[in-house]
């Protein structure tokens, strides 16, 4: 099977779905020039002229327009250059997009996909490095997707582009160049299906996005010590595959939940509390959480490197949990 | 009241400041190419003729807000380049203790309320600074620097309207360099003369050649005086051009080499100010060389200061999140 980067896999998903469905349109800042800062939309203008719009710097306008078009028969994919700037369109996302189906008694589909480059990369500091999954998973009506591999990214974006509800698609900047095997044939990955990325008996690591490769590395490092780690990649946070997480916890009886978000009020808090509430009897030890420090992202490389959990932290936490 | 022409002393100071911006940023780009300065680096090179003559009318007690392209605003407002360089190097002696980096340099002591990573992030801050000044009756003014791209965000409208209706002492300065990152202004805006938006807010709009420092000086002087007199904001548009990429490393496929040369060869604001000063007998070859050498020495010293400064220690991570320590 050919190996592809997450960037290429996302681009393929967009091109293939645009080929299949002419209601799909793309909008965002600099999306034609260079295909956006992360080059995901490169080539669309040549192949699908008129179906990609390079917008002004108007995040509220971009998201609002995408929503309006979605209510009237289009299927917009809006790129917000950094998830940090989605905060400039919070009304459109939270009060409008998330609410229209319910508030209007189910009269309309809301097929909008927001592509949101996320996380720290290249020392961009406090206003360009955030992970805001938890903000959105708090809002009923929104779906939140966080792929960790090129394969998952393509399959999940296809499902997003075929669905009827808003999707906040978190693309971790540091994962764009990560490669995995991606078939040329069409496939889609349904929402609400976590993926066991590695099977193990002793400890479960429930990881999202960029923590998944680190969890797999930790598992490799721990294997020679006789610690057998299972890695569950949540893939989508809303809808959430509780069954897969609980099944793993019931097998290993020990669990670490990890993501790159600020720990307080983050996704790991939600997952840990679900396990505590509904899976308590399976636990031989308290749930552990590993997430980012409760600070805005500092610029200096000497501080930035302290913020987000690393493989070595997962290794240490796992040892503690089984020890 | 016509604005008084700048004194010889002021002109020399402006000229030196423009060089300070130019050479500081050339050095920052070099250090970035060497991997010593990391993160985003957006240079102001080519636009020095905007911030410098405007800030020449301001005191340390006046306020400015800035953008992601903030080094020029900092230097024009009187920030110390050693502490700026240390910030770019991520060192603890930097303006923000290394926590901010290029996109977030601030110097509250000289009224520089911060570069800003969010396009249009400065509108509210400047408007609020104007409100504080008005409430105190202090005669202070606030200048809000923003790009042509920022004019397409909501805060432009909301804050200029507030500033106008409350007659706040604010000057909204559009640095119209005709591009927002890789997007030409004309592709995303029909009214490309931002000054023409002023009637919608009931305030004066003034357009000026941003490559001509003396024209900017005069136009800014009027707008700032008007603000100080309590007559409210002006929307001042300076047509300008950035000579380098949007950020360091930008391949610049959206414009031609010829277009860049047209501006940098013929309209360089530093050259224009030098020519004017020479014609007026205010700048000799020796003085010119002296100014450039002195600035170059300052830059060398700034790099030495940055390089020899320590990185922040790990305990800094949790400081400044709140006024009190967490840990
Ligand atoms: C709200 C927001 N949207 C997008 C960006 C990404 N971005 C940074 S600078 C820039 C272009 C800004 O153009 P302009 O306001 O004209 O300033 P210039 O860079 O030309 O000085 C963009 C799109 C951002 N930082 N903030
Ligand atoms: Mg611009």
């Amino acid at each position: 099977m050919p190996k592809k980067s997450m960037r290429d896999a996302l681009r393929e998903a967009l091109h293939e779905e645009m080929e299949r469905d002419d209601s799909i349109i793309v909008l965002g800042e600099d999306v034609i020039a260079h295909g956006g800062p992360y080059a995901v939309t490169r080539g669309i203008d040549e192949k699908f002229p008129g179906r990609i719009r390079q917008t002004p710097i108007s995040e509220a306008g971009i998201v609002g327009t995408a929503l309006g078009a979605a209510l009237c028969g289009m299927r917009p994919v809006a790129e917000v250059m950094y998830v940090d700037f989605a905060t400039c369109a919070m009304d459109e996302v939270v009060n409008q997009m998330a609410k229209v189906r319910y508030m209007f008694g189910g009269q309309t589909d809301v097929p909008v996909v927001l592509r949101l480059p996320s996380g720290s990369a290249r020392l961009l500091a406090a206003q360009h490095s955030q992970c805001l999954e938890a903000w959105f998973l708090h809002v009923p009506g929104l779906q939140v997707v966080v792929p960790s591999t090129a394969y998952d990214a393509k399959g999940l974006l296809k499902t997003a582009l075929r669905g009827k509800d808003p999707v906040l698609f978190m693309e971790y900047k540091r994962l764009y160049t990560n490669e995995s095997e991606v078939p040329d044939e069409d496939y889609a990955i349904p929402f609400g299906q976590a993926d066991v990325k590695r099977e193990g008996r002793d400890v479960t690591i429930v990881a999202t996005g960029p923590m998944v490769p680190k969890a797999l590395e930790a598992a490799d490092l721990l294997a020679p010590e006789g610690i057998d780690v299972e890695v569950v990649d949540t893939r989508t946070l809303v809808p959430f595959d509780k069954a897969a997480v609980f099944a793993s916890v019931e097998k290993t009886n020990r669990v670490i939940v990890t993501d790159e978000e600020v720990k307080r009020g983050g996704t790991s808090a939600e997952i840990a509390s679900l396990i505590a509430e509904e899976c308590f009897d399976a636990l031989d030890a308290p749930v552990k959480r590993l997430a980012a420090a409760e600070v805005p992202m500092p610029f200096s490389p000497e501080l930035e490197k302290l913020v987000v959990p690393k493989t070595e932290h997962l290794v240490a936490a796992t040892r503690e949990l089984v020890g | 009241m016509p604005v008084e022409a700048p004194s010889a002393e002021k002109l020399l100071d402006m000229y030196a400041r423009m060089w300070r911006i130019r050479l500081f940023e050339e050095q920052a780009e070099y250090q970035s190419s060497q991997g010593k300065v990391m993160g985003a680096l957006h240079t102001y090179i080519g636009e020095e003729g905007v911030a410098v003559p405007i800030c020449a009318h301001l005191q340390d007690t006046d306020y400015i807000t800035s953008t992601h392209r903030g080094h020029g605003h900092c230097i024009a407002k009187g920030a110390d380049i050693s502490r700026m360089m240390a910030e770019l190097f991520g060192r603890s002696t930097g303006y923000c203790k290394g926590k901010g980096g290029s996109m977030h340099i601030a110097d509250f002591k000289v009224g520089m309320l911060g570069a800003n990573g969010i396009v249009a992030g400065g509108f509210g801050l400047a408007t609020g600074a104007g409100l504080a000044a008005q409430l105190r009756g202090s005669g202070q003014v606030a200048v809000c620097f923003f790009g042509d791209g920022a004019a397409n965000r909501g805060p432009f409208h909301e804050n200029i309207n507030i500033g106008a209706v409350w007659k706040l002492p604010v000057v909204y300065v559009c640095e119209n360099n005709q591009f927002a990152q890789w997007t030409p202004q004309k592709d995303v805006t029909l009214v490309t003369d931002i000054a023409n938006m002023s009637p919608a807010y009931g305030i004066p709009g003034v357009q000026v050649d941003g490559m001509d420092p003396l024209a900017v000086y005069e136009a800014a002087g009027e707008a700032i005086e008007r603000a100080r007199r309590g007559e409210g904001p002006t929307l001042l548009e300076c047509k300008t051009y950035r000579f380098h990429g949007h950020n360091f490393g930008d391949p610049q496929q959206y414009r031609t080499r010829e277009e860049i040369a047209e501006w940098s060869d013929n309209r360089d604001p530093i050259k224009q100010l030098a020519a004017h000063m020479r014609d007026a007998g205010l700048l000799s070859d020796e003085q010119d060389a002296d100014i450039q050498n002195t600035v170059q020495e300052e830059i060398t010293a700034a790099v030495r200061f940055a390089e020899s400064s320590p990185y922040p220690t790990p305990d800094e991570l949790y400081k400044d999140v709140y006024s009190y320590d967490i840990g």
Side-chain angles (χ1 to χ4, degrees), chain A residues 79 113 163-164 276:
Chain A
E79 173 171 309
V113 178
K164 297 178 174 178

Side-chain angles (χ1 to χ4, degrees), chain A residues 29-30 57 59 81-82 85 88 128, chain B residues 42 47 68-69 117-119 146-150 153 175 177 179-181 242 246:
Chain A
E29 294 158 20
D30 294 310
I57 307 176
E59 285 76 11
M81 198 182 269
Y82 289 81
F85 315 153
C88 303
H128 288 72
Chain B
H42 305 94
E47 305 186 19
H68 54 286
R69 199 175 299 294
I118 300 300
V119 168
F146 65 97
D148 48 289
R153 282 212 50 225
E175 305 182 309
N177 63 10
F179 291 91
Q181 193 153 331
R242 61 170 156 74
H246 169 68

Side-chain angles (χ1 to χ4, degrees), chain B residues 240-318:
Chain B
T240 182
Y241 199 81
R242 61 170 156 74
F243 294 171
H244 293 194
H246 169 68
N247 58 322
F248 182 63
D250 175 1
Q252 301 190 65
Q253 285 162 16
Y254 49 85
R255 60 184 189 177
T256 62
R257 264 175 222 290
E258 290 70 34
E259 180 183 303
I260 300 169
E262 170 65 28
W263 285 83
S264 62
D265 294 353
N266 306 326
R267 304 188 58 185
D268 185 332
I270 298 187
K271 287 187 201 154
Q272 296 209 55
L273 185 59
H276 166 83
M277 290 169 70
R278 275 170 205 282
D279 287 350
L282 298 173
L283 185 71
S284 65
D285 287 349
E286 296 77 61
Q287 270 175 310
D288 195 358
D290 243 21
I291 287 171
Q292 293 186 47
N293 288 335
T294 309
V295 171
Q296 194 57 65
E297 280 162 21
E298 289 169 20
I299 307 282
T300 309
V303 172
R304 217 176 297 126
F305 174 76
E307 275 183 323
S308 61
S309 292
Y311 282 107
T313 48
D315 61 310
E316 266 301 327
L317 185 63
Y318 289 100

